[in-house]
Each structure stands twice: as structure tokens, then as C-alpha cells.
Amino acid sequence: MKILELANQLKAIYDKHGDIEVMFTDPNHNNSTYSIGRATARVAEKGEFPKDWDMPAGFKFVELSN
């Protein structure tokens, strides 16, 4: 998903429900739900992620974290 697509989805939710909390469900940790506290731009470093994640060195992405 690209930033603009996410922004448009969030705008539609905002228009319907107002300024509500944004949460993230982590399926790798028993579907634990966390509040998103920060969004940052990141660039993948060589060997940082497993190859099957398809995130080669130099891959730019937004990282959401709690």
C-alpha cells in the first residue's frame, strides 16, 4: 500500500467517525493490538530483513510503531 492510498482510507474513516485512535494488530504475537504512536520513513539496510520479506537493501517504506 502506498502513502496516498492509506491517507485516503484514513480520511474516509475520519470523515465518518472523527478523530479516533489508530491501532495495529500484530498477527505474529497472538493478534496483540497496539496503539500506533509514530510513523517514520525508513530505508532497509542490506541483510536487515529475511529475503522472503521482499525488502532488499535500499527499499524505502513507512514504519508504523507503538
Side-chain angles (χ1 to χ4, degrees):
M1 174 181 291
K2 300 287 186 170
I3 289 174
L4 187 56
E5 183 180 356
L6 176 60
N8 288 335
Q9 288 182 19
L10 291 172
K11 176 70 168 97
I13 293 168
Y14 175 82
D15 289 347
K16 184 173 183 177
H17 299 282
D19 195 16
I20 60 175
E21 189 71 24
V22 178
M23 306 291 285
F24 171 76
T25 300
D26 185 351
N28 296 317
H29 291 97
N30 297 324
N31 289 322
S32 298
T33 302
Y34 305 96
S35 177
I36 294 175
R38 182 174 52 221
T40 56
R42 290 253 338 262
V43 179
E45 300 291 333
K46 184 175 182 175
E48 181 178 6
F49 297 97
K51 289 184 181 187
D52 62 344
W53 285 26
D54 196 26
M55 295 176 72
F59 179 78
K60 294 180 183 180
F61 63 100
V62 173
E63 181 178 56
L64 303 175
S65 58
N66 60 346

